[in-house]
Amino acid sequence: MDLFDRLFPINRSITGDGVRQSLRILGEIVPIKQTEYATGTECFDWTVPKEWNVRGAYVKDSQGRTLIDFKENNLHLMGYSVPFRGYVSREELMEHLLTRPDLPNAIPYMMSYYKESWGFCVEHNRLPEFTDEWYEVFIDSDLQDGHMTLGEGFIQGSSKQEILLSTYICHPSMAINELSGPLVQTMIYHYLLHRKNLKYSYRFLYLPETIGSLLYLSQYGEQLKQRVVAGYVVTCVGHGESFTYKRSKRADTLADKAAIHVLKQSGKPYTVVDWNPFGSDERQYCSEGFKLPMGSLMRTMYGQYPEYHTSLDNRSLISEEVLLETIQMYIDLIETLEANETYECTHIHGEPKLDKRGLYPYLGGTRTKEEQRQISFITNLIAFSDGHNDLIDIAEKLGEMGKELNKPAQLLEQHGLLRSLNVERYNTQYDLVN
């Protein structure tokens, strides 16, 4: 939450110094490479826009009293507002004031990325305050050729196959729909930096939503198609008692299978929803040109809580306890992916004699629950390792977490009773960015 408090006041958008500052702060925890792409860079049907930065903005009445101040809450200024200074009539000001009548106490989050305009966002119940005929409007912003900044981290495992985690870092002061994602992803990244003997390589993207993932895909999408075996968009992960998993567009990928398996075995309440073209960057990763195996493991998802995209989405809605629980769920998911293998039993003529290999007790009689559990693991692994079932499939039959079968499977492999069918491991150094 100390990290949250440092990041929350920063004015972030799809470009600008707020993004760079936020990435630098997160970079104190994990290594994040910042890459700049110039205004005008084409990414499929889109183009990197001008860069936007703000120093201040306000609206004052005819008495010089400040009615709206960007410094009090950066949501007060519509995102990408062009510079403006002058006096406007009440009628003209009303055309530039944005409110949410359904949430009269909230400042709405609004932006105009691709059409030059200006505006202020204010609580609807404050409109009666604007009674003067003339107002001073001041917007000290820059909208000019610059850059879009993408953040990226990478951990190499023994395989070129990758797990991709992606979050967005383009929203100003909101808690669930912005900061919860970068915070959780950064802590997962930090955990994996200190974990030894990773099977998969891991890529962590910190991007402006939509345009950022499109830009990254335009540069590296073909490589990702070859390497990503599972991935998740990390967003809206700091609020709610239950989890929500949004499937990939393909719906039957390893990402989907592992996430639903871990949620089921966790005992936590959860909901599974199908992919749809509304949401976050899974729309781009799962588009027809890429069809990446990307789902999204969330808590209360975007649009499903009333405070969404308003100033009411603040610190009071999230808790460290929920964030930590989400981090642990992601770690369980990653450990399940790391442990998962597909094996083929090498002994196909009846059951192998396990006791002569020290894999089964010589003596019969009463056994502890843990002994019975381990015997069950071994016998079921031999029975169901047919070259098609992976460890998750077999664990589902047993009502266990897939990662629990990893050590028994390795033991059987050491004794020559199972043979892994997974791809060979690689030790070649590589990086998409370089």
Side-chain angles (χ1 to χ4, degrees):
M1 297 309 293
D2 291 339
L3 189 58
F4 174 92
D5 290 336
R6 290 179 65 191
L7 291 166
F8 189 76
I10 297 172
N11 184 49
R12 284 175 292 274
S13 187
I14 58 174
T15 63
D17 293 333
V19 174
R20 301 183 188 101
Q21 182 184 359
S22 299
L23 290 173
R24 283 195 296 271
I25 292 172
L26 293 170
E28 297 171 12
I29 311 297
V30 292
I32 298 176
K33 179 178 180 178
Q34 296 189 31
T35 305
E36 304 279 6
Y37 294 89
T39 297
T41 301
E42 294 184 357
C43 36
F44 308 123
D45 202 35
W46 298 59
T47 304
V48 173
K50 293 180 179 180
E51 182 175 330
W52 184 64
N53 289 291
V54 185
R55 286 169 292 277
Y58 60 75
V59 174
K60 293 184 178 181
D61 65 13
S62 58
Q63 305 300 312
R65 294 173 298 190
T66 302
L67 299 179
I68 307 174
D69 194 344
F70 171 81
K71 292 180 180 179
E72 290 183 359
N73 191 315
N74 53 40
L75 291 176
H76 273 311
L77 182 64
M78 181 183 75
Y80 261 63
S81 286
V82 298
F84 184 90
R85 184 164 193 171
Y87 290 88
V88 300
S89 67
R90 181 182 183 279
E91 181 180 5
E92 183 178 355
L93 179 63
M94 289 298 116
E95 294 177 357
H96 292 273
L97 288 189
L98 306 168
T99 71
R100 282 278 301 270
D102 59 322
L103 289 175
N105 295 316
I107 304 168
Y109 167 53
M110 304 293 288
M111 74 300 292
S112 181
Y113 296 141
Y114 303 105
K115 181 179 179 181
E116 292 192 3
S117 182
W118 64 267
F120 285 87
C121 303
V122 68
E123 300 93 331
H124 188 75
N125 63 9
R126 289 191 58 204
L127 290 182
E129 298 177 22
F130 296 84
T131 57
D132 287 2
E133 293 186 7
W134 293 93
Y135 295 86
E136 180 187 358
V137 174
F138 176 72
I139 301 174
D140 186 10
S141 66
D142 292 324
L143 186 61
Q144 56 192 12
D145 287 349
H147 295 85
M148 175 171 285
T149 309
L150 306 187
E152 181 173 13
F154 184 77
I155 303 173
Q156 184 166 335
S158 61
S159 169
K160 283 186 177 180
Q161 291 185 318
E162 292 187 13
I163 307 297
L164 173 62
L165 295 182
S166 179
T167 193
Y168 49 88
I169 187 161
C170 57
H171 289 56
S173 301
M174 290 175 289
I176 300 172
N177 185 51
E178 174 74 333
L179 275 186
S180 68
L183 289 174
V184 165
Q185 178 165 297
T186 298
M187 296 309 167
I188 297 166
Y189 184 3
H190 183 265
Y191 166 81
L192 288 171
L193 276 175
H194 295 85
R195 187 191 185 281
K196 297 180 180 179
N197 302 317
L198 287 170
K199 177 171 69 176
Y200 292 112
S201 297
Y202 289 84
R203 193 168 298 278
F204 303 88
L205 301 181
Y206 298 80
L207 312 171
E209 195 173 20
T210 305
I211 182 67
S213 55
L214 285 166
L215 177 56
Y216 193 88
L217 287 167
S218 73
Q219 303 292 313
Y220 305 111
E222 292 304 313
Q223 294 97 315
L224 293 180
K225 284 168 65 174
Q226 299 299 317
R227 295 171 179 171
V228 174
V229 296
Y232 304 96
V233 174
V234 185
T235 180
C236 295
V237 286
H239 173 268
E241 296 182 0
S242 65
F243 287 83
T244 300
Y245 180 68
K246 184 178 181 180
R247 298 178 191 266
S248 71
K249 189 175 183 180
R250 287 155 52 186
D252 60 353
T253 67
L254 176 61
D256 304 311
K257 179 173 163 179
I260 295 170
H261 168 71
V262 169
L263 287 168
K264 179 180 178 181
Q265 297 302 323
S266 72
K268 302 290 184 182
Y270 70 95
T271 301
V272 177
V273 298
D274 289 333
W275 185 92
N276 61 69
F278 304 98
S280 188
D281 285 331
E282 69 278 356
R283 296 173 299 167
Q284 318 311 329
Y285 296 124
C286 295
S287 60
E288 283 299 297
F290 299 102
K291 293 184 179 179
L292 294 180
M294 295 285 291
S296 185
L297 177 58
M298 300 169 276
R299 301 296 291 244
T300 305
M301 69 186 296
Y302 35 76
Q304 298 300 309
Y305 58 99
E307 300 89 353
Y308 176 66
H309 271 191
T310 75
S311 60
L312 300 182
D313 183 358
N314 55 40
R315 198 185 200 275
S316 67
L317 290 190
I318 70 171
S319 71
E320 193 165 80
E321 180 182 4
V322 171
L323 291 169
L324 289 171
E325 187 179 61
T326 308
I327 292 165
Q328 186 59 54
M329 189 68 76
Y330 264 102
I331 289 173
D332 288 342
L333 173 52
I334 287 168
E335 294 294 352
T336 295
L337 289 167
E338 281 285 318
N340 196 46
E341 298 272 353
T342 301
Y343 290 94
E344 184 177 68
C345 183
T346 61
H347 190 98
I348 60 174
H349 297 100
E351 295 180 359
K353 199 168 191 305
L354 297 175
D355 55 357
K356 71 178 184 181
R357 296 176 172 85
L359 299 174
Y360 197 90
Y362 281 101
L363 299 178
T366 303
R367 300 187 179 95
T368 66
K369 287 185 178 180
E370 184 56 29
E371 288 173 334
Q372 292 174 343
R373 184 166 174 256
Q374 294 302 316
I375 291 170
S376 175
F377 288 169
I378 288 172
T379 55
N380 278 281
L381 282 166
I382 292 170
F384 292 109
S385 293
D386 57 1
H388 300 287
N389 291 317
D390 60 17
L391 295 188
I392 294 175
D393 293 324
I394 299 171
E396 280 287 300
K397 299 176 187 295
L398 303 177
E400 295 278 355
M401 191 79 82
K403 63 181 182 178
E404 298 299 319
L405 298 185
N406 181 245
K407 288 185 178 179
Q410 289 181 346
L411 182 61
L412 288 169
E413 187 175 26
Q414 291 168 12
H415 283 273
L417 293 174
L418 294 184
R419 177 174 61 246
S420 173
L421 300 184
N422 284 56
V423 298
E424 69 174 295
R425 306 291 174 232
Y426 296 85
N427 292 310
T428 306
Q429 294 290 324
Y430 75 103
D431 190 332
L432 296 186
V433 172
N434 295 329

